[in-house]
């Protein structure tokens, strides 16, 4: 269902950018300018949630922030589409089609933006995976999403680029 939703604006980035309702589209340059914000959020989480945010987590986060311009630019070069950008169980539901098939419905699109489609799946998995999940399960869902988007768009999506964008 996620692939079907994301296929609607697939390959239509220029047209999407011209709409007056699209949310902010972040760029590598803007993400780098926001470096003090990302650092502040990291330290706040570290101080306020010591049981959840360990020193090693802070180190990983700081390393990611220090390279944000590089990896964000790589994301910008990948195929992008309209994403929900708040794709979690609070904003999802299902209804039945005329053929009694479940149809995914996503609500509250006020944060929607242009980004790699994997972004929505990553967020959903953060909410629904069990604590003891393994990497194979993540790979399974990532591949299921890629294949679903391929089917919905009728286009081939490179699996290596997809996996890199997911990472």
């Amino acid at each position: 269902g996620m692939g079907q939703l994301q296929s609607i604006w697939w390959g239509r980035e220029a047209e999407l950018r011209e709409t007056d309702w699209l949310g902010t589209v972040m760029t590598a340059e803007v993400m780098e300018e926001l470096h003090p914000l990302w650092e502040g959020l990291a330290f706040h989480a570290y101080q306020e949630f010591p049981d959840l945010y360990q020193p090693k987590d802070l180190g990983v986060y700081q390393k990611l922030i220090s390279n944000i311009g590089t990896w964000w630019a790589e994301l910008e070069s990948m195929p992008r589409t309209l994403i929900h950008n708040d794709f979690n169980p609070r904003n999802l539901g299902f209804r039945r089609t005329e053929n009694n098939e479940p149809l995914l419905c996503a609500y509250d699109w006020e944060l929607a933006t242009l980004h790699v489609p994997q972004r929505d799946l990553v967020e959903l998995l953060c909410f629904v995976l069990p604590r003891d999940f393994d990497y194979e399960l993540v790979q399974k869902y990532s591949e299921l999403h890629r294949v679903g988007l391929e089917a919905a768009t009728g286009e081939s999506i490179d699996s290596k680029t997809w996996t890199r964008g997911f990472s």
Side-chain angles (χ1 to χ4, degrees):
M2 186 185 310
Q4 290 173 335
L5 283 173
Q6 293 172 334
S7 73
I8 296 168
W9 286 95
W10 183 261
R12 299 170 56 195
E13 185 171 325
E15 183 183 351
L16 182 59
R17 286 179 169 277
E18 292 178 10
T19 65
D20 61 356
W21 48 262
L22 182 65
T24 302
V25 178
M26 301 302 279
T27 65
E29 180 182 20
V30 170
M31 293 298 284
E32 281 188 292
E33 288 174 9
L34 292 173
H35 188 273
L37 171 65
W38 309 135
E39 280 284 336
L41 289 171
F43 284 115
H44 177 76
Y46 179 70
Q47 291 171 342
E48 294 294 318
F49 306 104
D51 293 341
L52 299 174
Y53 208 74
Q54 302 296 311
K56 66 180 174 84
D57 300 317
L58 181 60
V60 168
Y61 191 81
Q62 288 174 316
K63 183 177 180 182
L64 286 170
I65 293 170
S66 71
N67 296 314
I68 200 165
T70 302
W71 59 261
W72 198 273
E74 185 179 358
L75 285 172
E76 287 181 80
S77 72
M78 295 177 182
R80 300 183 298 173
T81 190
L82 179 69
I83 67 160
H84 186 276
N85 206 29
D86 196 16
F87 209 87
N88 63 72
R90 293 183 314 262
N91 293 325
L92 302 176
F94 294 90
R95 64 180 178 96
R96 296 279 177 189
T97 65
E98 292 177 5
N99 298 331
N100 205 32
E101 296 291 324
L103 179 67
L104 175 66
C105 300
Y107 302 96
D108 296 331
W109 284 80
E110 71 273 4
L111 298 177
T113 190
L114 174 66
H115 205 339
V116 294
Q118 300 93 310
R119 164 66 177 82
D120 280 343
L121 178 61
V122 168
E123 179 161 0
L124 180 63
L125 292 178
C126 287
F127 281 87
V128 301
L129 285 176
R131 280 188 168 208
D132 61 347
F133 74 90
D134 60 23
Y135 186 66
E136 288 180 13
L137 183 61
V138 173
Q139 287 178 306
K140 172 187 168 185
Y141 286 125
S142 177
E143 183 63 8
L144 182 67
H145 183 204
R146 185 186 70 80
V147 170
L149 186 57
E150 275 187 337
T153 63
E155 294 184 21
S156 178
I157 299 171
D158 179 70
S159 63
K160 285 186 179 181
T161 302
W162 179 269
T163 300
R164 180 69 181 147
F166 185 90
S167 296

